[in-house]
Structures are given as structure tokens and as C-alpha cells.
């Protein structure tokens, strides 16, 4: 099965989450999306759950030598989360990546301002938080985001994705209270393989979706 687009994936994901809502597992939910691709998926989830929607910005860390390969991720001002195996294979140390991390963190804060402006991030304390993305490959950004959220003491922390690598899903599952993944194909090279339309999601689209939710809050 493949999804027509991220909206369709979000609708399918919402149906699975509504089953949990019916059993009382989703009390006072807050839906957070990993932008930009996770936002249209999360919008459908938030709409179905009658929950507020916001974003949690995470940035991948790569190197100039292999910019296509993620070796870590950052969220807010938390320390970077690294794939230790990748660091070893590339003969890299955290100290050598200081400039790269500084650039990515600066970009992260710029993206946060674009999406949120001066609006403060929502409180997650004692709430059921549903973190949504459009898929899991390396899982680094999701894992960094989950660890960040856990430090802020949600009542329950759920990761929800339409598709994910079985290996990554197993690794990330330990970081949350529940993980909802509709499809775990044995061989997942790229999330976009599971979407008929996997075009880029612009900052303008993200802003419009967030604005629509906040206008009715």
C-alpha cells in the first residue's frame, strides 16, 4: 500500500489513533509535527482528535564530505544526538563538528521563528503528546525530539508515523510510551517511496496550516 500524499497518510494515521482515543489512551492530547513534511500529516491527526497542533523543529547534522548522510540531530538548545557508529566509520569526533552544529542550531532557531514568530511553544507537561512525522528512516530527528519532550515530563508520549524502517522503529520505540506505525516494509530506502505525491512542503503551507488551527483555538 502507498499513500496518495501526506494528507491521505494523516487521515489513515488518524483512524488508527482514534482507536486508542476510544480506549482512553489519548487524554488531553497535543499534536506536535516535525516540520516541514510532518505538518500536513499531523494536521489530519489533530483535526480528528480535536487537538491543538504545533511544531517541534529538529535539524539533522551531516558533514560537508557526505551531506546526504545524517550523523546526528538537534532540537532546541539540547546537546546533539549522534549516531555513534557513523561517527566511528567517518573517523569523526564531536569536537570536530562544533562549527557544523552551530550553523544547524542557528538555522533551527530561524525556522522556529518562521513557524512560530513570538508565540511561545506549548507546554507539554502532564499532557498526552503525539509527535508526528511523515516517516522514519534513520530516526535521528524523531529520537532527538522524543528525548527533548521526555525531559519536559508529558503524561504520555506517543510517536505516530505512516511508514518506518523496522530496525529504526524498534530502536525508537524505547524513547516513547507508544509508537504507531502503519507500515514497516522490510526494505525502506526512502520515505518518499511510499507516497505517490511526496513534493516539498513550503514554509508558507506550514504557516497556513498552523494559522488555521490557532484561529479556531
Amino acid at each position: 500500500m502507498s499513500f496518495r500524499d501526506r494528507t491521505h497518510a494523516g487521515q489513515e494515521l488518524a483512524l488508527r489513533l482514534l482507536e486508542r482515543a476510544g480506549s482512553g489512551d489519548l487524554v488531553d492530547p497535543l499534536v506536535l509535527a516535525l516540520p516541514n513534511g510532518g505538518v500536513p500529516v499531523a494536521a489530519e491527526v489533530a483535526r480528528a482528535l480535536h487537538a491543538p497542533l504545533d511544531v517541534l523543529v529538529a535539524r539533522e547534522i551531516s558533514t560537508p564530505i557526505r551531506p546526504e548522510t545524517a550523523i546526528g540531530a538537534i532540537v532546541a538548545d539540547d546537546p546533539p544526538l549522534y549516531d555513534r557508529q557513523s561517527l566511528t566509520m567517518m573517523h569523526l569526533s564531536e569536537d570536530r563538528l562544533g562549527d557544523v552544529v552551530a550553523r544547524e542550531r542557528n538555522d533551527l532557531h530561524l525556522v522556529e521563528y518562521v513557524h512560530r514568530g513570538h508565540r511561545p511553544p506549548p507546554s507539554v507537561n502532564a499532557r498526552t503528546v503525539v509527535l508526528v512525522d511523515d516517516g522514519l528512516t534513520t530516526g535521528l530527528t524523531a529520537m532527538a525530539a522524543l528525548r527533548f519532550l521526555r525531559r519536559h515530563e508529558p503524561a504520555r508520549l506517543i510517536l505516530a508515523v505512516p511508514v518506518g524502517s523496522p530496525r529504526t522503529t524498534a530502536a525508537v520505540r524505547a524513547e516513547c510510551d507508544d509508537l504507531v506505525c502503519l507500515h514497516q516494509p522490510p526494505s525502506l530506502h526512502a520515505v518518499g517511496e511510499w507516497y505517490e505525491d511526496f513534493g516539498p512542503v513550503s514554509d508558507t503551507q506550514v504557516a497556513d496550516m498552523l494559522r488555521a488551527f490557532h484561529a479556531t483555538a
Side-chain angles (χ1 to χ4, degrees):
M1 173 187 175
S2 63
F3 304 105
R4 292 190 300 274
D5 52 23
R6 290 179 177 89
T7 297
H8 176 220
Q11 292 166 348
E12 294 294 320
L13 195 57
L15 290 175
R16 183 71 60 85
L17 285 162
L18 282 172
E19 296 174 3
R20 282 167 165 73
S23 62
D25 286 346
L26 285 168
V27 178
D28 190 24
L30 166 67
V31 177
L32 295 177
L34 289 171
N36 283 1
V39 177
V41 182
E44 297 302 319
V45 171
R47 188 171 291 113
L49 297 179
H50 303 288
L53 171 69
D54 215 312
V55 293
L56 178 59
V57 181
R59 296 282 293 188
E60 289 185 343
I61 301 169
S62 58
T63 70
I65 299 171
R66 296 183 65 180
E68 76 284 356
T69 302
I71 58 172
I74 53 172
V75 175
D77 291 316
D78 274 12
L81 170 69
Y82 288 108
D83 179 342
R84 296 292 170 184
Q85 184 176 5
S86 293
L87 287 181
T88 300
M89 291 176 61
M90 294 179 154
H91 306 289
L92 291 170
S93 67
E94 293 186 34
D95 292 341
R96 290 179 60 188
L97 293 167
D99 290 344
V100 174
V101 172
R103 286 195 300 271
E104 290 298 336
R105 201 179 300 277
N106 183 60
D107 288 346
L108 182 151
H109 289 313
L110 287 173
V111 172
E112 285 180 329
Y113 181 77
V114 167
H115 292 330
R116 184 172 287 118
H118 296 292
R119 178 171 49 83
S123 173
V124 304
N125 181 258
R127 300 191 71 173
T128 299
V129 178
V130 183
L131 180 68
V132 179
D133 203 358
D134 54 14
L136 282 178
T137 48
T138 68
L140 285 168
T141 53
M143 191 173 295
L146 289 168
R147 291 186 180 184
F148 170 82
L149 290 169
R150 181 68 78 190
R151 287 198 308 102
H152 291 80
E153 300 182 339
R156 187 170 178 79
L157 185 54
I158 300 169
L159 176 64
V161 292
V163 60
S165 154
R167 181 178 178 181
T168 300
T169 300
V172 173
R173 190 178 296 275
E175 304 290 340
C176 52
D177 298 308
D178 195 5
L179 190 151
V180 179
C181 181
L182 301 182
H183 301 287
Q184 297 183 46
S187 178
L188 178 66
H189 301 292
V191 169
E193 296 173 350
W194 276 72
Y195 289 82
E196 295 173 19
D197 177 2
F198 197 67
V201 179
S202 70
D203 289 338
T204 300
Q205 288 174 294
V206 171
D208 288 344
M209 282 182 267
L210 293 176
R211 191 179 302 114
F213 271 85
H214 295 144
T216 57

